[in-house]
Amino acid sequence: LGVAQDDAEAVRWYRAAAEQGFADAQHALGSIYANGLGVAQDDAEAARWYRAAAEQGNPVAQRNLDRIIGAMDNEEQFADWQRLGPAKFMRSNPSLLIIDGEIQPGDGPIVQQALILNDVTTIILDSPGGVLADSLDIAEAVRDAEIDTFVPNGARCASACVYIFLGGVRRYAEGELAVHQLRARLEETTAAVDVDQVLQGSLEFIFRIMQLGAPSWLIDRIRSSPVLVDLSENERLELSIGVESIPVEEASAALALSRDDAGAYERVLE
């Protein structure tokens, strides 16, 4: 009861600030309605507040507005799907979360919230990657929540997506994994303090992926590959753990269905 009252109070404060024209509050209120936090889930109301924030130059609000409008345009066809940032899930089976979008700044908290709200047990990956910091935050949240990760046959998990894959307590890469170097370039820095910051960031990155279980050979591959390099089937299997516990057929069918590929869905279930 206390939590519900706190949520309602937070909504009142956000609404008051949003109506005064504060873009951050408008964006937050849009997210509240998009996710049904303390209010009834309402895509139209979410779009209204996302649009208000976007008109004031908030790029994340614009991106969320585009996503929610796209979802509303396809509501009849995809009534069972809800998108949260780069992820989406089936309302009829919220334990499966699909990450198939590019991971943008601010997506880390959005996906973490989705994990909590939907009691996710398996994450299905088919993403080109994206922002490193948010991807690592998602990976660590996946590990802390003891969630499984799966890359189905025909899917591709590239760049920072691979770190989310590593976060799985049990994981299986049936599809493709691809890695490359960090984007930071020492030659573009001009001050010694900038070089130190880049080096410190690289060390922190290596420590964090080691904590996720990245083997030394994978770290070497990441450090030595200036362009995306596909891992071999044997390498993907070496990174896979507890394969027998992954709901391969169910997760593959969910990804196929999310792509609106009825033929693929039928083939998976044959």
Side-chain angles (χ1 to χ4, degrees), residues 226-245:
V227 297
L228 275 174
V229 174
D230 291 328
L231 301 186
S232 69
E233 181 178 0
N234 286 338
E235 289 170 334
R236 297 198 310 267
L237 289 175
E238 185 173 341
L239 293 176
S240 299
I241 300 172
V243 173
E244 65 282 353
S245 300

mmCIF file of all heavy atoms in Angstrom, residues 226-245:
data_model
loop_
_atom_site.group_PDB
_atom_site.id
_atom_site.type_symbol
_atom_site.label_atom_id
_atom_site.label_comp_id
_atom_site.label_asym_id
_atom_site.label_seq_id
_atom_site.Cartn_x
_atom_site.Cartn_y
_atom_site.Cartn_z
ATOM 1 N N PRO A 226 40.312 -4.495 -34.954
ATOM 2 C CA PRO A 226 39.823 -3.139 -35.239
ATOM 3 C C PRO A 226 38.466 -3.118 -35.928
ATOM 4 O O PRO A 226 37.769 -2.112 -35.900
ATOM 5 C CB PRO A 226 40.916 -2.557 -36.144
ATOM 6 C CG PRO A 226 41.568 -3.744 -36.764
ATOM 7 C CD PRO A 226 41.511 -4.834 -35.733
ATOM 8 N N VAL A 227 38.089 -4.215 -36.572
ATOM 9 C CA VAL A 227 36.772 -4.323 -37.198
ATOM 10 C C VAL A 227 36.054 -5.535 -36.616
ATOM 11 O O VAL A 227 36.663 -6.387 -35.969
ATOM 12 C CB VAL A 227 36.896 -4.465 -38.733
ATOM 13 C CG1 VAL A 227 37.528 -3.215 -39.335
ATOM 14 C CG2 VAL A 227 37.702 -5.706 -39.095
ATOM 15 N N LEU A 228 34.757 -5.614 -36.848
ATOM 16 C CA LEU A 228 33.987 -6.738 -36.330
ATOM 17 C C LEU A 228 34.512 -8.065 -36.859
ATOM 18 O O LEU A 228 34.706 -8.231 -38.064
ATOM 19 C CB LEU A 228 32.513 -6.595 -36.706
ATOM 20 C CG LEU A 228 31.634 -5.748 -35.787
ATOM 21 C CD1 LEU A 228 30.244 -5.597 -36.384
ATOM 22 C CD2 LEU A 228 31.542 -6.359 -34.394
ATOM 23 N N VAL A 229 34.706 -8.996 -35.953
ATOM 24 C CA VAL A 229 35.181 -10.333 -36.302
ATOM 25 C C VAL A 229 34.206 -11.354 -35.726
ATOM 26 O O VAL A 229 33.882 -11.320 -34.536
ATOM 27 C CB VAL A 229 36.598 -10.589 -35.738
ATOM 28 C CG1 VAL A 229 37.013 -12.031 -35.977
ATOM 29 C CG2 VAL A 229 37.600 -9.630 -36.350
ATOM 30 N N ASP A 230 33.723 -12.254 -36.580
ATOM 31 C CA ASP A 230 32.805 -13.294 -36.130
ATOM 32 C C ASP A 230 33.575 -14.376 -35.375
ATOM 33 O O ASP A 230 34.636 -14.832 -35.826
ATOM 34 C CB ASP A 230 32.078 -13.926 -37.308
ATOM 35 C CG ASP A 230 31.088 -12.983 -37.958
ATOM 36 O OD1 ASP A 230 30.523 -12.144 -37.234
ATOM 37 O OD2 ASP A 230 30.891 -13.075 -39.186
ATOM 38 N N LEU A 231 33.029 -14.802 -34.245
ATOM 39 C CA LEU A 231 33.621 -15.923 -33.522
ATOM 40 C C LEU A 231 33.233 -17.223 -34.223
ATOM 41 O O LEU A 231 32.161 -17.334 -34.819
ATOM 42 C CB LEU A 231 33.123 -15.942 -32.078
ATOM 43 C CG LEU A 231 33.421 -14.694 -31.230
ATOM 44 C CD1 LEU A 231 33.006 -14.924 -29.782
ATOM 45 C CD2 LEU A 231 34.891 -14.307 -31.300
ATOM 46 N N SER A 232 34.108 -18.208 -34.131
ATOM 47 C CA SER A 232 33.841 -19.499 -34.756
ATOM 48 C C SER A 232 32.788 -20.262 -33.946
ATOM 49 O O SER A 232 32.474 -19.910 -32.799
ATOM 50 C CB SER A 232 35.118 -20.323 -34.834
ATOM 51 O OG SER A 232 35.524 -20.720 -33.524
ATOM 52 N N GLU A 233 32.261 -21.317 -34.554
ATOM 53 C CA GLU A 233 31.274 -22.139 -33.851
ATOM 54 C C GLU A 233 31.865 -22.728 -32.572
ATOM 55 O O GLU A 233 31.210 -22.764 -31.526
ATOM 56 C CB GLU A 233 30.787 -23.262 -34.768
ATOM 57 C CG GLU A 233 29.728 -24.150 -34.117
ATOM 58 C CD GLU A 233 29.233 -25.229 -35.048
ATOM 59 O OE1 GLU A 233 29.697 -25.297 -36.205
ATOM 60 O OE2 GLU A 233 28.371 -26.030 -34.616
ATOM 61 N N ASN A 234 33.113 -23.194 -32.649
ATOM 62 C CA ASN A 234 33.752 -23.760 -31.452
ATOM 63 C C ASN A 234 33.931 -22.700 -30.365
ATOM 64 O O ASN A 234 33.768 -22.988 -29.171
ATOM 65 C CB ASN A 234 35.109 -24.365 -31.824
ATOM 66 C CG ASN A 234 34.969 -25.675 -32.572
ATOM 67 O OD1 ASN A 234 33.937 -26.342 -32.486
ATOM 68 N ND2 ASN A 234 35.999 -26.050 -33.312
ATOM 69 N N GLU A 235 34.277 -21.475 -30.773
ATOM 70 C CA GLU A 235 34.431 -20.397 -29.792
ATOM 71 C C GLU A 235 33.089 -20.042 -29.153
ATOM 72 O O GLU A 235 33.014 -19.786 -27.945
ATOM 73 C CB GLU A 235 35.055 -19.178 -30.462
ATOM 74 C CG GLU A 235 36.525 -19.381 -30.805
ATOM 75 C CD GLU A 235 37.086 -18.273 -31.676
ATOM 76 O OE1 GLU A 235 36.308 -17.624 -32.425
ATOM 77 O OE2 GLU A 235 38.310 -18.045 -31.632
ATOM 78 N N ARG A 236 32.036 -20.022 -29.959
ATOM 79 C CA ARG A 236 30.696 -19.740 -29.406
ATOM 80 C C ARG A 236 30.286 -20.818 -28.407
ATOM 81 O O ARG A 236 29.723 -20.515 -27.348
ATOM 82 C CB ARG A 236 29.666 -19.649 -30.531
ATOM 83 C CG ARG A 236 29.906 -18.521 -31.521
ATOM 84 C CD ARG A 236 28.676 -18.196 -32.346
ATOM 85 N NE ARG A 236 28.051 -19.347 -32.960
ATOM 86 C CZ ARG A 236 28.310 -19.780 -34.190
ATOM 87 N NH1 ARG A 236 29.235 -19.166 -34.917
ATOM 88 N NH2 ARG A 236 27.675 -20.824 -34.689
ATOM 89 N N LEU A 237 30.583 -22.049 -28.729
ATOM 90 C CA LEU A 237 30.252 -23.147 -27.817
ATOM 91 C C LEU A 237 31.069 -23.070 -26.539
ATOM 92 O O LEU A 237 30.576 -23.403 -25.451
ATOM 93 C CB LEU A 237 30.466 -24.487 -28.508
ATOM 94 C CG LEU A 237 29.460 -24.847 -29.603
ATOM 95 C CD1 LEU A 237 29.848 -26.150 -30.288
ATOM 96 C CD2 LEU A 237 28.047 -24.937 -29.034
ATOM 97 N N GLU A 238 32.319 -22.619 -26.646
ATOM 98 C CA GLU A 238 33.147 -22.487 -25.452
ATOM 99 C C GLU A 238 32.589 -21.425 -24.503
ATOM 100 O O GLU A 238 32.704 -21.550 -23.280
ATOM 101 C CB GLU A 238 34.580 -22.125 -25.848
ATOM 102 C CG GLU A 238 35.531 -22.083 -24.663
ATOM 103 C CD GLU A 238 36.981 -21.882 -25.047
ATOM 104 O OE1 GLU A 238 37.316 -22.123 -26.224
ATOM 105 O OE2 GLU A 238 37.778 -21.481 -24.172
ATOM 106 N N LEU A 239 31.953 -20.402 -25.066
ATOM 107 C CA LEU A 239 31.353 -19.356 -24.238
ATOM 108 C C LEU A 239 30.000 -19.758 -23.683
ATOM 109 O O LEU A 239 29.483 -19.108 -22.775
ATOM 110 C CB LEU A 239 31.197 -18.064 -25.047
ATOM 111 C CG LEU A 239 32.495 -17.358 -25.471
ATOM 112 C CD1 LEU A 239 32.175 -16.161 -26.348
ATOM 113 C CD2 LEU A 239 33.304 -16.937 -24.258
ATOM 114 N N SER A 240 29.419 -20.820 -24.223
ATOM 115 C CA SER A 240 28.094 -21.268 -23.795
ATOM 116 C C SER A 240 28.194 -22.107 -22.524
ATOM 117 O O SER A 240 29.115 -22.906 -22.363
ATOM 118 C CB SER A 240 27.425 -22.083 -24.915
ATOM 119 O OG SER A 240 27.259 -21.286 -26.083
ATOM 120 N N ILE A 241 27.231 -21.908 -21.633
ATOM 121 C CA ILE A 241 27.208 -22.599 -20.341
ATOM 122 C C ILE A 241 25.771 -23.041 -20.055
ATOM 123 O O ILE A 241 24.837 -22.268 -20.237
ATOM 124 C CB ILE A 241 27.675 -21.673 -19.197
ATOM 125 C CG1 ILE A 241 29.100 -21.180 -19.440
ATOM 126 C CG2 ILE A 241 27.577 -22.359 -17.848
ATOM 127 C CD1 ILE A 241 29.545 -20.110 -18.454
ATOM 128 N N GLY A 242 25.604 -24.269 -19.586
ATOM 129 C CA GLY A 242 24.272 -24.729 -19.194
ATOM 130 C C GLY A 242 23.286 -24.737 -20.344
ATOM 131 O O GLY A 242 22.122 -24.376 -20.172
ATOM 132 N N VAL A 243 23.764 -25.142 -21.520
ATOM 133 C CA VAL A 243 22.946 -25.097 -22.736
ATOM 134 C C VAL A 243 21.630 -25.849 -22.570
ATOM 135 O O VAL A 243 20.582 -25.427 -23.066
ATOM 136 C CB VAL A 243 23.750 -25.662 -23.924
ATOM 137 C CG1 VAL A 243 22.874 -25.792 -25.161
ATOM 138 C CG2 VAL A 243 24.964 -24.786 -24.206
ATOM 139 N N GLU A 244 21.674 -26.970 -21.859
ATOM 140 C CA GLU A 244 20.478 -27.809 -21.733
ATOM 141 C C GLU A 244 19.344 -27.112 -20.998
ATOM 142 O O GLU A 244 18.172 -27.520 -21.103
ATOM 143 C CB GLU A 244 20.829 -29.117 -21.013
ATOM 144 C CG GLU A 244 21.263 -28.971 -19.555
ATOM 145 C CD GLU A 244 22.695 -28.498 -19.396
ATOM 146 O OE1 GLU A 244 23.414 -28.403 -20.412
ATOM 147 O OE2 GLU A 244 23.096 -28.235 -18.248
ATOM 148 N N SER A 245 19.647 -26.036 -20.264
ATOM 149 C CA SER A 245 18.611 -25.323 -19.506
ATOM 150 C C SER A 245 17.960 -24.207 -20.312
ATOM 151 O O SER A 245 16.968 -23.619 -19.864
ATOM 152 C CB SER A 245 19.222 -24.725 -18.230
ATOM 153 O OG SER A 245 19.760 -25.732 -17.399
#
